Amino acid sequence: MPDTDPADPPTTPSTTPAGSTDAAALDAADPLAAHRDLFVGSEQPLVYLDGNSLGRPLRVTGPRLAAFVDDQWGGRLIRGWDEQWMELPTLLGDRIGATCLGAAPGQTVVGDSTTVLLYKAMRAAVAARPGRHEIVMDTDNFPTDRYLAAGVAEELGLRVRWVDVDPAAGVTADQLAGVLGPDTALVALSHVAYRSSWVADGPALTALAHDAGALVLWDLSHSVGSVPLALDAWGADLAVGCTYKYLNGGPGSPAFAYVAARHLEGPDALTQPVRGWIGHAEPFRMGPDWAPAAGIRRMLSGTPPVVGMLALADMLDLLEAVGMPAVRAKSLALTRMVVDLADDELAEHGVEVVSPRAAERRGGHVTLRHPAMQEVTRRLWARDVVPDYRDPGGLRLGLSPLSTSFAEVRAGMDAIAEELAPPR
Ligand SMILES: *Cc1c(COP(=O)(O)O)cnc(C)c1O
């Protein structure tokens, strides 16, 4: 029961949100707060602010892995492949697609590392635009993406058309429009920028690339499980993302690839260059020549990394139950708290927020810049406060929505303030 008489309403309307930096009130009002206890380590005082680099394990994952060894691997042995393991890449792919990507079934598969799937996707895309010579990418994209684009260009006699971006933001529609043309084969961008957290305008940039006749490849590594996606609605062509960040798949868990259904059918269906037996139309025929598998399985190459997919399945159970809109709402409240605390309490020490302030452009992490941040990060780790550091001077706070509390953010921000201005 509210303790105010309805005839005498409080002067502050009840719809006024709690202060964006009042950790206790925010945790008390957080409908997802209890989920934090589902993660290993949540009972410890350690402050974990790097869920965008490696998500915490769920408590159910340890027993699930042990049971897999005993029952599935140890019990079923090679029969496990026929019984279910061979289908895991598409079963899990469809679940990622439905819960996180806005993708209908049959377009997403779990396979190799992010890097290897990005390579295959880039090669597949440029092969589908013969006679065009340019790959468009921004200079602040993740290193592996930049190296791959340059490598594919060198391999095939193409060019990379680099877009210079504001390192506190990311690629805008105007910038992209300025570099597209009849020679553009592929536009390859990150949806959420790993450094600044800028959320690119997925539907607008996809439409611009299509107007120029190019294909689009989205890197979703910093989006998936944090920012809702709608690949089918955007008309995206290809996408690749990581599963050990906000999907909590564990160190080195395999990545996923999405290819739109229209690129998986007919004589113009995309194919990728790593022609292994598992991406073959009939893997166990073991015939002399390669022929691509029907549908999304053609993106596969070798034996599926089954053990590496188990933890991911646990996180998908949780994300399916919670739903991405609720995850995003908490993510925005967490990142807003960091931005507001940085303005209120760290700006006086010379700290600058180098992530977007507008909610719709801000992903699941926030980067705070100060010349001392590399050293500050080293001292924070020593006191069990764990963000990460990215040049130049960027302390990155990755706030995994289901495993991070507002109190944890408050403790982390207080620790940063103390390290920047040690009490005397
Ligand atoms: C984390 C990340 C990767 C990781 O690639 P791996 O092959 O898993 O090492 C790639 N791209 C982006 C944008 C990332 O954030």
Side-chain angles (χ1 to χ4, degrees):
M1 278 293 288
D3 58 10
T4 42
D5 181 344
D8 178 25
T11 46
T12 318
S14 60
T15 51
T16 301
S20 71
T21 61
D22 182 345
L26 288 164
D27 278 323
D30 174 14
L32 306 183
H35 291 100
R36 187 166 179 275
D37 294 339
L38 301 174
F39 292 88
V40 173
S42 58
E43 73 289 358
Q44 294 167 5
L46 180 140
V47 172
Y48 191 52
L49 303 173
D50 208 8
N52 61 320
S53 214
L54 178 66
R56 284 183 186 271
L58 281 161
R59 291 188 197 279
V60 293
T61 296
R64 158 155 0 209
L65 289 170
F68 179 85
V69 172
D70 288 342
D71 305 338
Q72 292 289 314
W73 178 7
R76 301 315 300 159
L77 293 165
I78 198 173
R79 293 169 293 183
W81 286 113
D82 287 340
E83 289 165 0
Q84 52 171 288
W85 303 336
M86 211 47 114
E87 298 312 315
L88 269 183
T90 45
L91 286 175
L92 285 181
D94 283 348
R95 291 182 64 195
I96 295 171
T99 306
C100 304
L101 308 183
Q107 306 176 101
T108 311
V109 73
V110 176
D112 314 290
S113 70
T114 315
T115 299
V116 171
L117 284 179
L118 282 169
Y119 173 75
K120 292 194 215 178
M122 284 182 191
R123 284 284 308 263
V126 297
R129 288 293 179 273
R132 291 179 174 234
H133 298 97
E134 283 188 359
I135 300 172
V136 170
M137 180 173 285
D138 65 287
T139 50
D140 210 36
N141 206 343
F142 191 81
T144 217
D145 302 61
R146 290 185 280 109
Y147 306 154
L148 286 167
V152 167
E154 195 179 305
E155 203 176 359
L156 302 178
L158 312 175
R159 288 180 298 278
V160 183
R161 181 79 179 255
W162 295 105
V163 182
D164 270 316
V165 292
D166 174 354
V171 181
T172 64
D174 283 348
Q175 285 173 317
L176 186 61
V179 298
L180 292 170
D183 217 17
T184 314
L186 171 65
V187 175
L189 300 173
S190 283
H191 177 245
V192 171
Y194 81 103
R195 216 169 356 199
S196 71
S197 192
W198 169 266
V199 179
D201 188 338
L205 302 190
T206 298
L208 279 171
H210 287 172
D211 289 347
L215 296 182
V216 186
L217 165 60
W218 288 105
D219 187 330
L220 307 176
S221 296
H222 266 82
S223 322
V224 65
S226 161
V227 180
L229 298 154
L231 296 182
D232 288 351
W234 299 357
D237 300 292
L238 300 117
V240 170
C242 168
T243 67
Y244 51 80
K245 294 171 179 168
Y246 297 106
L247 293 184
N248 304 58
S253 62
F256 63 86
Y258 161 96
V259 180
R262 64 183 178 282
H263 295 306
L264 293 171
E265 291 156 5
D268 295 331
L270 298 185
T271 58
Q272 50 86 10
V274 187
R275 298 180 165 193
W277 69 307
I278 299 296
H280 191 282
E282 295 176 275
F284 292 98
R285 209 174 158 83
M286 307 198 161
D289 299 317
W290 188 80
I296 190 67
R297 289 192 79 90
R298 65 184 47 214
M299 292 303 283
L300 297 179
S301 298
T303 300
V306 172
V307 176
M309 292 188 235
L310 301 176
L312 166 62
D314 292 329
M315 188 61 178
L316 288 171
D317 288 342
L318 183 57
L319 288 172
E320 279 160 9
V322 172
M324 283 307 301
V327 169
R328 174 64 169 161
K330 175 151 183 201
S331 170
L332 282 173
L334 288 163
T335 53
R336 179 173 166 207
M337 183 178 183
V338 168
V339 171
D340 288 352
L341 283 173
D343 287 345
D344 292 351
E345 298 174 15
L346 298 181
E348 66 205 62
H349 301 296
V351 170
E352 199 190 339
V353 176
V354 284
S355 294
R357 285 161 186 282
E360 73 275 13
R361 292 273 79 85
R362 196 171 71 236
H365 63 282
V366 178
T367 300
L368 304 178
R369 187 181 295 165
H370 185 284
M373 283 309 194
Q374 188 157 24
E375 175 58 21
V376 165
T377 305
R378 201 186 56 72
R379 291 204 300 267
L380 290 170
W381 281 34
R383 58 185 279 187
D384 272 357
V385 173
V386 185
D388 71 14
Y389 174 81
R390 292 290 180 269
D391 270 334
L395 180 89
R396 264 191 342 172
L397 303 165
L399 311 168
S400 194
L402 295 176
S403 60
T404 307
S405 65
F406 293 94
E408 207 174 358
V409 172
R410 173 86 240 186
M413 294 296 283
D414 287 348
I416 295 167
E418 285 165 25
E419 293 303 337
L420 282 168
R424 26 199 125 209

